[in-house]
Amino acid sequence: MDNVVKSLSVERAISPSAGKFIIKQPTQAQAEDAVRTLILWAGDDPSREGLLETPARVAKAYRELYRGYQEDAGAILDRVFEEVDGYQDMVLVRDIPFHSHCEHHMVPFVGKVHIGYYPNGGVVGLSKLARVVDVFARRLQTQETMTAQIAHAIETSLKPHGVAVLVEAEHMCMSMRGVQKQGSSTLTTQYTGRFRDAAEQVRFFTMVKSPGL
Ligand SMILES: Nc1nc2c(ncn2[C@@H]2O[C@H](COP(=O)(O)OP(=O)(O)OP(=O)(O)O)[C@@H](O)[C@H]2O)c(=O)[nH]1
Ligand SMILES: [Zn+2]
């Protein structure tokens, strides 16, 4: 196992174009060995029947849970509809569910994202805002970073008159372990443009919390 870990030598270099890290992917066998190590660390026997296929399943699940690293929010927000008969008011998509993993413990945090923006000429497909949430949620995250990244992606692609992002979430690393406080929630917000105005923030928040369908 030691040899596998030593030979991983993850390469980290900053790509000049996107400012992204280029990671040299470990092989499937290396990923599965790492899971076997963690099973041993948890105190179980990775060679018992029920756990034999677990390393392969976990490696596959990781591809899904961390798919966001392979995705580009800019490409998702690329298509704008301009024929909206002069609509200029706020567009709000609320209660977008998400699950992410905190970068400190790699334990889930789950909740909802609310996104409002003031269009500048055109509007984006509503589903695309929910897709952008997943691009950033399916990475190792802090709630603050995820909130800022969602707002930044919309701001950069749509250049709207303002973006508001509100994220509310429960962190399993605070409920299942550590301080063990079930039911606490964390709210984070990021505002740009018109939403820097306090009255706009009140309007956004009121709409987010108004009775639903
Ligand atoms: N700001 C912020 N903190 C987070 C987030 N997710 C987890 N944390 C916190 O990250 C901190 C890590 O603290 P450390 O003292 O390094 O780790 P720890 O000993 O496991 O901390 P405890 O959770 O208090 O047991 C904890 O306070 C977590 O609650 C997040 O999205 N944003
Ligand atoms: Zn955590």
Side-chain angles (χ1 to χ4, degrees), residues 102 104-105 142-144 171 173-174 177-178:
C102 83
H104 305 111
H105 303 94
T142 69
Q143 186 174 328
E144 293 93 328
H171 289 248
C173 65
M174 281 184 66
R177 56 156 297 288

Side-chain angles (χ1 to χ4, degrees), residues 92-136:
L92 171 66
V93 181
R94 63 182 187 177
D95 297 327
I96 303 167
F98 79 93
H99 48 77
S100 186
H101 287 81
C102 83
E103 66 187 26
H104 305 111
H105 303 94
M106 296 181 71
V107 170
F109 64 99
V110 295
K112 292 184 283 189
V113 180
H114 317 279
I115 301 173
Y117 74 100
Y118 279 103
N120 178 8
V123 298
V124 74
L126 298 173
S127 68
K128 307 303 181 192
L129 296 174
R131 287 186 188 282
V132 166
V133 169
D134 283 345
V135 168
F136 296 111

Side-chain angles (χ1 to χ4, degrees), residues 89-90 135 142 153 187 213:
D89 202 0
M90 188 195 313
V135 168
T142 69
L187 269 66
L213 298 173

Side-chain angles (χ1 to χ4, degrees), residues 64-185:
E64 193 178 339
L65 295 172
Y66 297 110
R67 200 170 62 201
Y69 291 112
Q70 266 74 53
E71 295 177 336
D72 175 14
I76 290 171
L77 296 170
D78 202 25
R79 186 150 186 234
V80 169
F81 303 108
E82 300 205 339
E83 205 176 73
V84 285
D85 271 354
Y87 183 84
Q88 290 182 337
D89 202 0
M90 188 195 313
V91 177
L92 171 66
V93 181
R94 63 182 187 177
D95 297 327
I96 303 167
F98 79 93
H99 48 77
S100 186
H101 287 81
C102 83
E103 66 187 26
H104 305 111
H105 303 94
M106 296 181 71
V107 170
F109 64 99
V110 295
K112 292 184 283 189
V113 180
H114 317 279
I115 301 173
Y117 74 100
Y118 279 103
N120 178 8
V123 298
V124 74
L126 298 173
S127 68
K128 307 303 181 192
L129 296 174
R131 287 186 188 282
V132 166
V133 169
D134 283 345
V135 168
F136 296 111
R138 289 179 178 164
R139 300 180 185 193
L140 291 172
Q141 280 290 14
T142 69
Q143 186 174 328
E144 293 93 328
T145 306
M146 190 182 94
T147 307
Q149 287 175 338
I150 294 168
H152 180 72
I154 296 167
E155 176 73 23
T156 310
S157 292
L158 303 185
K159 300 192 172 46
H161 292 302
V163 182
V165 177
L166 167 61
V167 179
E168 26 186 347
E170 179 171 1
H171 289 248
M172 297 304 150
C173 65
M174 281 184 66
S175 50
M176 289 173 62
R177 56 156 297 288
V179 73
Q180 302 206 13
K181 298 291 180 201
Q182 290 86 8
S184 75
S185 59

